[in-house]
Amino acid sequence: MRELLSMVFIGIGLGFDLLGCLGLVRFPDVYNRLQAATKCVTFGTCSILFGTFLILGFTSAGIKCLLALVFIVLTSPTASHALARASHKAGVRLWERSVCDEYSNSSK
Amino acid sequence: MRSKIILFVLGFLVWCLLSWPTDGQHVLVGIVVSGLVAYFTGDLFTRRPHLFKHVTRYLWFFYYLLVFGWECFKANIDVAIRVIHPYKPLNPGIIKATTSLKNDIALTFLANSITLTPGTLTVDVDKAGGFLYVHWIDVKTKDTEKATKIIVERFEKILRKIFE
C-alpha cells in the first residue's frame, strides 16, 4: 500500500516536472518561462522527494528527503524572484502582447 | 541573547536531522558547530525573540501551510493547462499591488507565497511604500486595489497573525 502511494506521488512529480520543462520551451519571454520553471518544477520535485520519503520511511536518507523538500520550497521562489528582478533591471522586454508594465512606469 | 539560544536550538535540530540516526560523536560536533554559529550570527536572527513563545502563532502557521499547499496545487494545475494548451492562453503583464505588512520576514513569506501560487511571480518589493510588483500570467485587472484583493489579501490576513 505504502509502495503504491509513493509510486503515485513520484508519478505525479515526474509529470509536473515534464510539463515545467515543456513550458520553459513553449512560453514566449523570460517572465512567463520563470513562472513555468518555478511552479511546476518546485511542486514536481517536492512530490518526487515526498514519494521517496514514503518508500524509505524515517531512515537516514528519508529524513534528508524531507529537509531537501523544505529547502527547495524556501529557495526556489527566491531565486526566480531574483532572476525576474535582475532581467527587468537589465532591460529585458516583456512579450509584445503583454497587457501592462507598472514596474517600468514606476521606476522611471 | 535569547535570539542566540533560539538559533542554537534550531541549528542543532537541523544538524540532528541531517546526521540521523545520531550517535555521541555527531551530537558533540553538532553542539560545537551550532554553538559557534549561534555565537557569531545569533544577533542577526530575530529582533523580537519573545514572539517565539506565543502558541497561537504556531497554530496559525500550520493553518497557513494548509492554505498554501492547496493554493500551490491549484497553481500547478493552472500553469500545466496553459503549457499544454495548443493556443497558449497567455495575457501577461506586471501589475502593482499594495501590502500593509512591514516586517522583513513577513514580507519575504508573502513574496514567496505569491510566487508559488496561481500565475503570479513577485518581481520587486518596495518596502518603504508598501508596494509589490507582481508579474501575472493572466491579468484580470490593472487596478491596484482590485489586484491587491485578488492576489495579496488571502495570505496577508494569516501572515499578519503569525509575524506582526
Side-chain angles (χ1 to χ4, degrees):
Chain A
M1 187 61 208
R2 204 173 72 174
E3 197 112 313
L4 183 76
L5 202 63
S6 56
M7 285 302 163
V8 168
F9 268 107
I10 292 177
I12 292 173
L14 283 174
F16 274 113
D17 269 3
L18 178 71
L19 287 175
C21 297
L22 263 180
L24 208 58
V25 180
R26 285 199 71 196
F27 279 174
D29 69 352
V30 180
Y31 308 97
N32 287 313
R33 283 179 173 164
L34 274 177
Q35 298 248 12
T38 327
K39 283 185 242 304
C40 289
V41 173
T42 309
F43 187 74
T45 313
C46 283
S47 189
I48 291 175
L49 283 171
F50 190 71
T52 320
F53 164 72
L54 281 183
I55 289 183
L56 296 170
F58 286 94
T59 57
S60 164
I63 298 260
K64 284 191 184 73
C65 282
L66 281 187
L67 273 180
L69 195 152
V70 172
F71 283 124
I72 283 180
V73 170
L74 283 179
T75 52
S76 153
T78 318
S80 73
H81 155 72
L83 279 172
R85 185 162 179 270
S87 41
H88 203 287
K89 296 258 172 199
V92 178
R93 294 278 174 82
L94 270 74
W95 191 31
E96 68 264 23
R97 270 156 64 196
S98 296
V99 186
C100 55
D101 186 0
E102 296 281 340
Y103 188 42
S104 66
N105 294 344
S106 74
S107 52
K108 268 167 199 165
Chain B
M1 190 60 211
R2 262 195 204 155
S3 168
K4 282 179 184 172
I5 293 170
I6 292 167
L7 183 63
F8 173 75
V9 171
L10 280 178
F12 187 61
L13 206 69
V14 172
W15 174 275
C16 284
L17 289 178
L18 266 178
S19 61
W20 191 272
T22 43
D23 55 15
Q25 281 182 358
H26 280 123
V27 171
L28 202 66
V29 176
I31 287 174
V32 171
V33 171
S34 42
L36 277 176
V37 170
Y39 179 72
F40 285 120
T41 64
D43 294 327
L44 306 171
F45 182 60
T46 171
R47 297 220 178 89
R48 297 179 296 168
H50 58 278
L51 295 186
F52 279 87
K53 278 193 286 190
H54 299 172
V55 181
T56 47
R57 289 177 195 271
Y58 294 102
L59 293 178
W60 277 110
F61 187 69
F62 185 68
Y63 174 66
Y64 165 77
L65 283 184
L66 288 181
V67 171
F68 173 71
W70 175 239
E71 293 290 339
C72 190
F73 183 68
K74 276 201 307 195
N76 279 283
I77 301 288
D78 181 69
V79 175
I81 287 172
R82 280 175 212 280
V83 169
I84 48 178
H85 198 286
Y87 300 114
K88 287 193 271 186
L90 298 177
N91 186 24
I94 296 181
I95 52 105
K96 191 168 159 183
T98 56
T99 174
S100 57
L101 296 176
K102 292 274 177 252
N103 192 338
D104 276 344
I105 186 103
L107 275 173
T108 312
F109 263 85
L110 183 67
N112 276 3
S113 314
I114 287 172
T115 300
L116 283 176
T117 48
T120 50
L121 186 142
T122 318
V123 179
D124 202 358
V125 179
D126 179 3
K127 196 186 163 200
F131 294 123
L132 291 164
Y133 296 98
V134 181
H135 181 265
W136 203 353
I137 209 167
D138 177 23
V139 176
K140 295 196 185 83
T141 167
K142 290 182 202 171
D143 186 55
T144 303
E145 276 180 26
K146 280 180 193 157
T148 307
K149 205 160 232 167
I150 297 174
I151 299 175
V152 179
E153 260 188 5
R154 58 183 170 211
F155 292 122
E156 202 179 36
K157 274 186 290 184
I158 309 174
L159 284 173
R160 183 173 298 123
K161 291 206 171 73
I162 301 173
F163 293 110
E164 293 278 306

